[in-house]
Amino acid sequence: MSEDTLKSAQAEPESKTPGGDPQLRRGSVGLGGAVIMSAALMGPAVSVYFNPQLVAGFAGAAMPLVMGVSLIASLIVANGVAEMARELPSAGAFYTYVARGIGPRSGFVTGILMFLAYALLVPAELALIGIYSHDILNEYGLAVPWPVISLIFAAIMLALSWRGISGSLKTALTLFSVEVGVILLLSVIILAKGGAQGLTGAPLLPSSSPSGLSGIALGMVFGVLSFVGFESAATLGEEVRDPRRHIPRGIFGAVLLVGVIYVFTTYAEMVGFGTSGVDALVKDTAPFTTLAAKYAPWLKLLVGLAGVSSIFAVTMNSHNGIARILFAMGREHMLPPVLAKVHPRHATPSAAIIANTVFAVVVTLGVGAWVGAFNAYAYLGSLLTLAIIPVYILTNLACIRFFATVARDRRNVLKHVVLPVLGMLVMLIPIYGLIWPVPAAPYNLFPYLVVLAIVASAVVAWVIGKRQPERLARAGAVLAAAEVDGGVEEPAVGRDRA
């Protein structure tokens, strides 16, 4: 990847758009940066280290199949996201797409759900990096409490995001390259040695799920969790060069790249434990470390370091993504306007960065002290997945409506009707898995918490619409200034007033 891909613009940025709205640094990210933003947030190493045992707990040895199905589902859903990103480049991403495609109140609800999804991902990863690093250091006689480690990484996250997206993405690129290289190398070694019971196609068959299709559906909750973040390149809509072209390409490129890595490495992981070793996999909190000790002891330390780098890359990029969502909603007065404050030198959403860092630290330490660090990751991960699924559904619905009305002249039946409908349907699979059969506590409560958040945010949006309708009228109005001339029509504001 060339240095030009990630370099910052040379000129000092204007702090406001011609219309007076705060803006971020234009043209500071290229196509490679967009791919890395999404790919690193998905976190290949963290996903294959910590999600497969959660998937296998429901789908058994069919765990790699679940990852493959989740890849296909994510590609279908990504179509609607990419099409809206092409039309409406904005730091608000999903919030902007739904506000313009369905209406401002739905956009507000979407923004709140996005906050839940991305904002919970940061503390989930901070808790995980704390306990995982703690365990690694313990092996070498260093006893450092996991909260201390989490706070150190939170401080690094704050410093990098404060100085600018370019530096954050360069860091993410380095970490991504290391983690992918290590997990691919170990996977190749496992397969070359034949695994525990020889190479087999069983992990790719539905019959390997002990609970049948319901186990696969429930396993998809964590399969989809592994892909959460594929859309994060869209939050760079006001900072990437040529966003109408680079953001869709970045999204699809990241999903395909990381999805293939998932299927290959989780297949190797299942073969490494053997199809009869599912129970051992499910109970193992660090299965790739176990596999390294068995198949390539010399790789064990590198596997541990790759895990740490992956977790931090996810933490860093999810933090950058939610900061931009908060910035966009603050700029349009859907949240407190102070969140739209831009750093005068670095052109970063400084107030949103601080707000999200404080939130992440409080949740990390609070939930971690309550249920334990790893359970904090598992519980918050499940909850945020359920929060992001309605966002994917709403975005695909917005795609259908936007191209049926505002952009009808550019409508394509396959891209703007068929695939969005399929995208909404496939997202119902993991929802079904969490509702029936009813899972054990506390997973059985999570769908209702998300419904409560939807209802509460809808009520708030209704109140805003009644008391301050001009605030709703601004929803999704600010796009990338350089791209507005592309001919996007004004939104049909207030479609969802009823």
Side-chain angles (χ1 to χ4, degrees):
M1 184 179 299
S2 66
E3 182 178 347
D4 181 63
T5 301
L6 299 175
K7 72 178 181 180
S8 298
Q10 295 300 313
E12 282 295 312
E14 295 292 332
S15 62
K16 294 183 180 294
T17 66
D21 295 296
Q23 73 172 19
L24 305 175
R25 190 187 297 272
R26 307 293 185 187
S28 59
V29 180
L31 174 59
V35 172
I36 288 300
M37 177 69 174
S38 288
L41 201 156
M42 284 185 274
V46 68
S47 293
V48 301
Y49 281 19
F50 305 108
N51 291 350
Q53 58 267 51
L54 298 173
V55 175
F58 301 109
M63 175 263 292
L65 171 66
V66 172
M67 302 304 290
V69 173
S70 298
L71 165 60
I72 295 171
S74 297
L75 283 172
I76 294 172
V77 173
N79 168 78
V81 178
E83 289 301 305
M84 293 302 284
R86 196 189 315 277
E87 294 288 325
L88 305 170
S90 168
F94 291 119
Y95 154 70
T96 300
Y97 309 154
V98 175
R100 296 287 294 264
I102 300 177
R105 290 178 181 169
S106 295
F108 181 84
V109 173
T110 300
I112 296 302
L113 289 174
M114 275 298 294
F115 174 77
L116 284 176
Y118 273 42
L120 291 181
L121 185 56
V122 178
E125 299 296 332
L126 283 177
L128 185 61
I129 201 170
I131 192 63
Y132 187 65
S133 300
H134 165 79
D135 291 345
I136 292 175
L137 292 174
N138 257 356
E139 292 188 16
Y140 295 92
L142 298 174
V144 183
W146 74 262
V148 173
I149 299 173
S150 295
L151 288 174
I152 291 172
F153 279 104
I156 298 172
M157 172 190 79
L158 174 63
L160 287 172
S161 60
W162 185 266
R163 291 187 60 82
I165 191 66
S166 179
S168 296
L169 291 176
K170 287 177 181 177
T171 301
L173 172 61
T174 301
L175 298 178
F176 179 83
S177 300
V178 170
E179 67 181 89
V180 169
V182 172
I183 63 175
L184 287 179
L185 176 59
L186 179 56
S187 297
V188 169
I189 292 173
I190 292 170
L191 295 178
K193 292 186 175 182
Q197 299 169 312
L199 302 184
T200 173
L204 302 175
L205 299 176
S207 57
S208 295
S209 169
S211 302
L213 293 179
S214 63
I216 292 175
L218 192 51
M220 275 188 68
V221 172
F222 295 99
V224 171
L225 171 61
S226 301
F227 286 91
V228 167
F230 77 78
E231 73 289 335
S232 61
T235 63
L236 301 178
E238 298 173 33
E239 297 162 278
V240 73
R241 295 188 291 277
D242 194 2
R244 296 185 188 277
R245 182 175 63 176
H246 285 166
I247 289 178
R249 290 182 177 180
I251 290 172
F252 280 117
V255 173
L256 283 170
L257 172 64
V258 176
V260 170
I261 292 172
Y262 283 164
V263 175
F264 178 73
T265 54
T266 56
Y267 173 78
E269 189 171 11
M270 194 68 256
V271 168
F273 276 88
T275 54
S276 63
V278 173
D279 288 343
L281 170 61
V282 171
K283 295 175 182 177
D284 198 325
T285 57
F288 248 70
T289 302
T290 299
L291 291 173
K294 179 178 180 180
Y295 292 96
W298 56 275
L299 259 181
K300 188 176 179 181
L301 178 59
L302 285 178
V303 167
L305 294 177
V308 173
S309 74
S310 180
I311 299 168
F312 183 67
V314 175
T315 307
M316 186 73 253
N317 281 10
S318 56
H319 171 64
N320 279 326
I322 188 57
R324 281 150 181 79
I325 296 289
L326 294 175
F327 162 79
M329 294 186 74
R331 179 176 58 188
E332 297 175 4
H333 294 239
M334 301 296 278
L335 289 177
V338 68
L339 292 172
K341 182 179 179 181
V342 173
H343 193 282
R345 178 182 177 185
H346 302 303
T348 53
S350 52
I353 286 171
I354 292 174
N356 189 57
T357 300
V358 172
F359 174 85
V361 168
V362 170
V363 174
T364 299
L365 299 181
V367 177
W370 181 25
V371 299
F374 188 78
N375 281 337
Y377 168 74
Y379 296 166
L380 292 176
S382 178
L383 187 57
L384 72 89
T385 301
L386 283 170
I388 199 69
I389 287 174
V391 173
Y392 292 156
I393 292 173
L394 284 169
T395 301
N396 276 274
L397 179 59
C399 179
I400 294 172
R401 294 195 65 180
F402 186 84
F403 284 97
T405 54
V406 178
R408 188 172 180 82
D409 60 319
R410 298 185 290 281
R411 188 186 191 197
N412 178 290
V413 174
L414 176 62
K415 292 182 179 180
H416 306 138
V417 180
V418 176
L419 290 178
V421 169
L422 285 176
M424 290 187 286
L425 292 176
V426 296
M427 285 296 101
L428 295 178
I429 297 175
I431 292 179
Y432 165 79
L434 267 176
I435 295 176
W436 190 262
V438 178
Y443 295 101
N444 61 325
L445 300 177
F446 294 159
Y448 304 103
L449 292 177
V450 173
V451 169
L452 180 61
I454 292 173
V455 172
S457 56
V459 170
V460 172
W462 181 84
V463 171
I464 292 174
K466 287 293 183 181
R467 297 181 179 179
Q468 297 175 298
E470 69 281 359
R471 289 175 65 184
L472 280 183
R474 286 178 55 86
V478 182
L479 305 180
E483 297 298 318
V484 173
D485 293 336
V488 177
E489 298 177 38
E490 287 302 308
V493 174
R495 289 182 193 148
D496 61 352
R497 287 183 182 274

